[in-house]
C-alpha cells in the first residue's frame, strides 16, 4: 500500500506526500525516539504525537517512509521543511493513537 | 580500495542540526552501493551516538572510516564522561533532563541500540575529560 492509498483508506489528511511509490509495510506506534529507531521495522509508518524535527531525523535513519501524526497535532515549519528535504511523508489523523492504529490495522 | 575518511563537527545542544553527520554518512554509503541493511545499521548506531553527544556532552567530533568490509565510526567529546558504563548500558537508564525528554529523548535506549546494531562497541570515558565511542559495523 502506498502512502496516498493509506491516507485515503484511513481518512488521514496528507500534510506532505514525499514518495508516492514507497510501500508502507507496517506500522509502529511510540513517542520515545530511541524505541522507534531501535524497534520499528524498515518501511513502517510511524504513529506518534511528537511533532519536533527529530521525529523526521529518526524516520530517515530507520527508513520509515511516513509519519502519522495523531490527535490533529500539526508539525512546526522546521519539521515540515526537513520532511520535504529528506523525503518523509506526513499524514494527519484526527483520532488518538489507539484508534489511529486500529484504522491502519484494518487496511494494511 | 583505500579507506575513505569523513570527519564532522557536531554542534552541542542544537537539536535541529542533530543528525546531520549521520544523514551525510548514510547518503554516502548508499551512493557507494553498500547493502541496505549495513547502511541502516550504520545510520541508527551513528545517530544514537551523535544525539548523545548533543544531549549529554555539548557536541564533539566524528571520524568515519569506510572500508569495503567494515565501517568504523569514532565519536569523541569533551563532555562530563560516564561515571558507570554498565549502568549507562542498561535499557531504561537515563540522566536526560526534562527539556530533552519533552522532545522524545531520554528512554535510556540509545546505548543499547548502538550495541544491538553494531558488531563492536568500545567506550573510553574519563570523568571531567570526555568520552570516545568506537563503533564498528561489518558489511
Ligand atoms: N557522550 C556521553 N557523555 C556523557 N554521558 C553520556 C554520553 N552518552 C551517554 N551518556 C550517559 O548514558 C546514559 C544512557 O545513554 P542512552 O543513550 O542509552 O540513553 P539516553 O540518551 O538518556 O536516552 P535515549 O537515548 O533513549 O534518548 C545517558 O542518560 C547519560 O547519562
Ligand atoms: Mg541517547
Amino acid at each position: 500500500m502506498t502512502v496516498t492509498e493509506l491516507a485515503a483508506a484511513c481518512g488521514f489528511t496528507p500534510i506532505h506526500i514525499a514518495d508516492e511509490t514507497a510501500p508502507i509495510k507496517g506500522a509502529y506506534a511510540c513517542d520515545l525516539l530511541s524505541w522507534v529507531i531501535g524497534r520499528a521495522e524498515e518501511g513502517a509508518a510511524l504513529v506518534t504525537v511528537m511533532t519536533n524535527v527529530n521525529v523526521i531525523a529518526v524516520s530517515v535513519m530507520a527508513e520509515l517512509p511516513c509519519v502519522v501524526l495523531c490527535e490533529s497535532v500539526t508539525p512546526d515549519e522546521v519539521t515540515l521543511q526537513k520532511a520535504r528535504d529528506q523525503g518523509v511523508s506526513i499524514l494527519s489523523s484526527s483520532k488518538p493513537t489507539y484508534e489511529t492504529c486500529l484504522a491502519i490495522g484494518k487496511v494494511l | 580500495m583505500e579507506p575513505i575518511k569523513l570527519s564532522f563537527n557536531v554542534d552541542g545542544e542544537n537539536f535541529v542540526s542533530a543528525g546531520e553527520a549521520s544523514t551525510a554518512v548514510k547518503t554516502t554509503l548508499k551512493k557507494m552501493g553498500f547493502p541496505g541493511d549495513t547502511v541502516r545499521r550504520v545510520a541508527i548506531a551513528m545517530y544514537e551516538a551523535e544525539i548523545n553527544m548533543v544531549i549529554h556532552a555539548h557536541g564533539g567530533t566524528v571520524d568515519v572510516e569506510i572500508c569495503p568490509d567494515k565501517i568504523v565510526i569514532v565519536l569523541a567529546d569533551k563532555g562530563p564522561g560516564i561515571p558507570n558504563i554498565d549502568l549507562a548500558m542498561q535499557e531504561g537508564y537515563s540522566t536526560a533532563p526534562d527539556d530533552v525528554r519533552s522532545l522524545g529523548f531520554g528512554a535510556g535506549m540509545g546505548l543499547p541500540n548502538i550495541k544491538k546494531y553494531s558488531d563492536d562497541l568500545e567506550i573510553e570515558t574519563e570523568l571531567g575529560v570526555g568520552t570516545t565511542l568506537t563503533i564498528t559495523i561489518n558489511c
Side-chain angles (χ1 to χ4, degrees), chain B residues 81-103:
Chain B
I82 304 176
N84 184 334
I85 294 179
D86 289 339
L87 193 59
M89 288 304 301
Q90 281 180 20
E91 290 191 359
Y93 177 82
S94 174
T95 61
D98 284 348
D99 59 327
V100 168
R101 285 176 194 263
S102 70
L103 293 171

Side-chain angles (χ1 to χ4, degrees), chain A residues 33-34 37-38 40 52 54 62, chain B residues 15 40 48 103-104 113 116-117:
Chain A
L33 297 177
S34 282
I37 201 170
N52 68 74
N54 302 291
Chain B
F15 291 97
R40 189 169 183 268
E48 287 285 21
L103 293 171
N113 280 343
K116 175 179 167 190
Y117 284 101

Side-chain angles (χ1 to χ4, degrees), chain A residues 31-42 50 52-55 57-58 60-64 78 82 86, chain B residues 15-16 18-19 22-23 26 30 36 39-40 43-44 47-48 51 91 102-105 107 109-110 113 116-117:
Chain A
D31 300 320
L32 294 174
L33 297 177
S34 282
W35 279 98
V36 174
I37 201 170
R39 302 290 167 101
E41 286 180 18
E42 177 268 321
M50 299 299 287
N52 68 74
V53 65
N54 302 291
V55 171
V58 161
V60 172
M61 297 308 144
E63 289 170 12
L64 315 177
V78 180
K82 183 136 185 155
Q86 301 287 328
Chain B
F15 291 97
V16 175
S22 306
T23 305
K26 185 172 194 273
K30 243 189 185 167
V39 177
R40 189 169 183 268
I44 291 174
Y47 178 79
E48 287 285 21
I51 213 86
E91 290 191 359
S102 70
L103 293 171
F105 300 109
M109 293 296 288
N113 280 343
K116 175 179 167 190
Y117 284 101

Side-chain angles (χ1 to χ4, degrees), chain A residues 10-88:
Chain A
C10 296
F12 302 152
T13 308
I15 293 181
H16 171 64
I17 301 291
D19 184 352
E20 290 279 5
T21 59
I24 308 295
K25 301 177 187 167
Y28 185 88
C30 190
D31 300 320
L32 294 174
L33 297 177
S34 282
W35 279 98
V36 174
I37 201 170
R39 302 290 167 101
E41 286 180 18
E42 177 268 321
L46 169 58
V47 182
T48 183
V49 294
M50 299 299 287
T51 58
N52 68 74
V53 65
N54 302 291
V55 171
I56 305 300
V58 161
S59 300
V60 172
M61 297 308 144
E63 289 170 12
L64 315 177
C66 155
V67 178
V68 183
L69 297 177
C70 304
E71 313 262 18
S72 300
V73 293
T74 49
D76 55 45
E77 188 47 45
V78 180
T79 303
L80 197 52
Q81 190 54 48
K82 183 136 185 155
R84 289 191 199 106
D85 293 345
Q86 301 287 328
V88 177

